[in-house]
């Protein structure tokens, strides 16, 4: 497994790989790797000749009051996991390589960036779209694998790639969950034992909402009652909403078909995010 920290070396590796006619699958990460990330690596392995993982805690996607300095970092542990996962190349850029002095260009995505995480974290998706665009160009990836866990992020990246004609195929991978249903996330490491015990209630309640909607119940009342129950249990929802899966627009009352249920809830100082496919029968 090759570890690259220098942009010129990465460019040379890209040129050599292209000359050899081998495709590259990229898994962009911010490190603190867990089973969810390793499933993305395995997916990239299935779909491309070579796999690159980028590890970069992107300052541009953190707001002034967010937890950039507290974001978990474990480079040695990450590299060991990636060796075991059959990764070929790790791109570990220093901040100056990504954002050299004077950098003044960002990617602003409208549409699916609006609302939800876009509203809760102003500027977050600008940072995500900018860093992903740079990573796609730097690595020359043919495809990039993202977890569905960050559903809105996946739609924002898809939109940017389509709108800017980027020659990379975006692959979404289903959320990987713990035995008790909690979606894997680097931030779970910050949950105290009692918070960790409570956290799966979010996915359980979401599953209940989806089940009742599949039986024909109207979403509005169910979402309100579930939100209140979550808050009473100590999982304070920022939002619990049904949306169009790709545009992220609110699901129109009375419409039937494939929707997405999104949730963000605060548990202590951790924000849990989750989403699930929802079907409203006709
Ligand atoms: O999902 C993440 O870990 C990050 O938002 C990403 C896609 C690596 C961009 O920094």
């Amino acid at each position: 497994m090759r570890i690259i920290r220098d942009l010129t070396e990465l460019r040379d590796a890209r040129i050599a790989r292209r000359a050899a006619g081998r495709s590259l699958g990229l898994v962009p990460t911010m490190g603190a790797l867990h089973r969810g990330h390793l499933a993305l690596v395995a997916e990239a392995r299935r779909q491309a000749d070579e796999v690159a993982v980028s590890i970069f805690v992107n300052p541009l996607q953190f707001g002034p009051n967010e937890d950039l300095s507290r974001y978990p970092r474990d480079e040695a542990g990450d590299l060991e996991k990636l060796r075991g996962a059959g990764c070929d190349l790790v791109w570990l850029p220093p901040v100056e390589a990504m954002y050299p002095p004077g950098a003044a260009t960002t990617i602003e995505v409208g549409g699916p960036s609006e609302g939800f995480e876009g509203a809760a974290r102003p500027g977050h998706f600008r940072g995500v779209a900018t860093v992903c665009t740079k990573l796609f160009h730097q690595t020359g990836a043919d495809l990039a694998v993202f977890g569905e866990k960050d559903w809105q992020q996946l739609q924002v990246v898809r939109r940017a790639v389509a709108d800017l004609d980027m020659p990379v195929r975006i692959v979404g991978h289903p959320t990987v969950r713990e035995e008790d249903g909690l979606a894997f996330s680097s931030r779970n490491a910050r949950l105290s034992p009692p918070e960790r015990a409570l956290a799966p209630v979010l996915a359980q309640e979401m599953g209940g909402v989806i089940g009742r909607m599949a039986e024909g119940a109207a979403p509005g009342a169910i979402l309100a009652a579930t939100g209140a129950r979550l808050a009473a249990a100590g999982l304070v929802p920022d939002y619990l909403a049904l949306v169009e899966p790709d545009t992220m627009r609110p699901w129109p009352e009375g419409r039937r078909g494939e929707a997405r249920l999104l949730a963000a809830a605060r548990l202590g100082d951790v924000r849990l995010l989750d989403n699930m496919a929802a079907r409203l029968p006709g």
Side-chain angles (χ1 to χ4, degrees), residues 190-192 195 198 234-236 265-272:
R190 293 195 353 233
L191 294 169
S192 67
E195 288 166 349
L198 183 58
L235 280 152
V236 185
R266 276 170 286 124
L267 183 53
D269 68 347
V270 177
R271 231 165 138 257
L272 296 178

Side-chain angles (χ1 to χ4, degrees), residues 161-226:
V161 163
D163 289 348
L164 298 177
D165 307 308
M166 291 185 232
V168 59
R169 182 163 60 86
I170 302 302
V171 177
H173 186 277
T175 303
V176 181
R177 297 181 182 278
E178 305 257 19
E179 297 270 290
D180 59 11
L182 177 65
F184 274 98
S185 163
S186 306
R187 288 187 166 95
N188 293 353
R190 293 195 353 233
L191 294 169
S192 67
E195 288 166 349
R196 175 62 191 82
L198 183 58
V201 170
L202 181 62
Q204 287 157 15
E205 287 284 356
M206 291 172 74
V209 169
I210 285 168
R212 272 168 276 152
M213 288 190 307
E215 287 161 7
I222 302 173
L223 292 175
T226 306

Side-chain angles (χ1 to χ4, degrees), residues 36-261:
H37 294 112
L38 300 182
L40 307 184
V41 174
E43 187 60 44
R45 201 39 319 137
R46 276 191 286 278
Q47 298 209 22
D49 298 324
E50 294 182 19
V51 176
V53 173
S54 59
I55 300 179
F56 179 63
V57 182
N58 175 29
L60 208 61
Q61 68 188 75
F62 287 80
N65 303 320
E66 292 185 29
D67 52 358
L68 173 63
S69 62
R70 283 194 305 146
Y71 198 85
R73 288 166 171 84
D74 177 18
E75 187 182 303
D78 289 346
L79 293 177
E80 197 175 315
K81 287 176 191 150
L82 291 176
R83 271 190 203 96
C87 172
D88 300 292
L89 188 161
V90 186
W91 171 221
L92 267 162
V95 178
E96 322 71 75
M98 295 304 274
Y99 303 118
T105 305
T106 54
I107 306 287
E108 186 82 47
V109 184
S113 279
E114 288 157 18
F116 309 108
E117 290 311 287
R121 306 179 65 188
H124 172 67
F125 287 126
R126 182 188 315 126
V128 170
T130 302
V131 81
C132 288
T133 303
K134 288 174 73 79
L135 291 168
F136 299 156
H137 287 310
Q138 291 166 343
T139 58
D142 299 280
L143 62 96
V145 188
F146 289 81
E148 289 183 353
K149 156 81 171 42
D150 293 305
W151 183 262
Q152 190 173 11
Q153 167 172 281
L154 176 59
Q155 307 319 313
V156 169
V157 172
R158 283 193 196 285
R159 190 71 261 165
V161 163
D163 289 348
L164 298 177
D165 307 308
M166 291 185 232
V168 59
R169 182 163 60 86
I170 302 302
V171 177
H173 186 277
T175 303
V176 181
R177 297 181 182 278
E178 305 257 19
E179 297 270 290
D180 59 11
L182 177 65
F184 274 98
S185 163
S186 306
R187 288 187 166 95
N188 293 353
R190 293 195 353 233
L191 294 169
S192 67
E195 288 166 349
R196 175 62 191 82
L198 183 58
V201 170
L202 181 62
Q204 287 157 15
E205 287 284 356
M206 291 172 74
V209 169
I210 285 168
R212 272 168 276 152
M213 288 190 307
E215 287 161 7
I222 302 173
L223 292 175
T226 306
R229 239 191 344 269
L230 283 167
L235 280 152
V236 185
D238 275 354
Y239 53 79
L240 177 67
L242 200 63
V243 298
E244 294 177 352
D246 47 357
T247 65
M248 306 294 294
R249 286 196 212 108
W251 187 258
E253 193 68 43
R255 186 188 294 172
R256 306 285 155 210
E258 304 294 334
R260 202 83 194 176
L261 179 64

Side-chain angles (χ1 to χ4, degrees), residues 4-23:
I4 301 185
R5 298 175 192 269
D6 173 77
L7 209 41
T8 311
E9 194 183 338
L10 183 68
R11 191 176 312 139
D12 292 346
R14 183 182 72 216
I15 292 167
R17 182 180 46 74
R18 287 222 171 120
R22 291 174 66 73
S23 63

